[in-house]
Amino acid sequence: MTDRQRSAPTTANPLGVHADVVIAELGYRADVDHELRGDIRGLGGTTVTGDDPDGLADAALLWWRQPDGDLTDELLDAYTLLGPDGFLWLLTPKTGHDGFVDPSVIAEAARTVGMTLTATLDRPDWLGVRLSPPRRRA
């Protein structure tokens, strides 16, 4: 392990991202958690792209708010950007914040897309759920 990896910000580590990964970021607006984004970028070698990465992404970071449209469609779009071992972090505003998303909406959309909730992340203004797609067969 290098010194850079040892000193990597601990905030991003619960996301399961590390140096040299490509992350497709969707739904970015001024209200996102800038500290979390900075921690991800600070890992070194991590590339955060828009919704059109050059090739497949190792992970997707989807900022989604209630008025943003259909969550199932958004999850499907994000899923198409993922490589074979990719996963998705869905971040939604916490209860009491503009754009709050009821957990039942998240559960239904994930179930419809075939993704499984595998972890959670609690931030000051945002809640994150890690969604993993079904294993792809080679």
Side-chain angles (χ1 to χ4, degrees):
M1 180 178 277
T2 67
D3 288 338
R4 177 175 269 259
Q5 289 171 318
R6 269 193 293 274
S7 64
T10 58
T11 308
N13 291 337
L15 293 179
V17 297
H18 50 81
D20 302 320
V21 299
V22 175
I23 302 169
E25 183 177 31
L26 307 153
Y28 173 85
R29 291 202 306 240
D31 65 343
V32 301
D33 184 334
H34 292 282
E35 181 181 347
L36 179 63
R37 289 181 86 241
D39 289 345
I40 292 168
R41 289 181 182 277
L43 290 172
T46 301
T47 304
V48 180
T49 68
D51 62 357
D52 190 23
D54 186 22
L56 295 175
D58 301 300
L61 186 63
L62 172 59
W63 304 95
W64 199 80
R65 303 136 193 100
Q66 185 55 48
D68 284 352
D70 185 270
L71 181 55
T72 302
D73 289 343
E74 292 293 328
L75 291 177
L76 283 170
D77 289 346
Y79 178 66
T80 64
L81 300 174
L82 297 176
D85 295 321
F87 56 88
L88 171 111
W89 274 99
L90 171 64
L91 290 119
T92 60
K94 281 186 164 182
T95 303
H97 290 79
D98 287 340
F100 166 74
V101 180
D102 190 280
S104 66
V105 171
I106 296 169
E108 178 62 28
R111 189 172 31 256
T112 299
V113 175
M115 295 180 129
T116 304
L117 184 135
T118 57
T120 60
L121 179 68
D122 187 6
R123 300 289 298 165
D125 298 325
W126 292 83
L127 288 174
V129 293
R130 180 179 163 149
L131 300 172
S132 297
R135 286 273 186 212
R136 297 179 183 164
R137 295 180 185 222

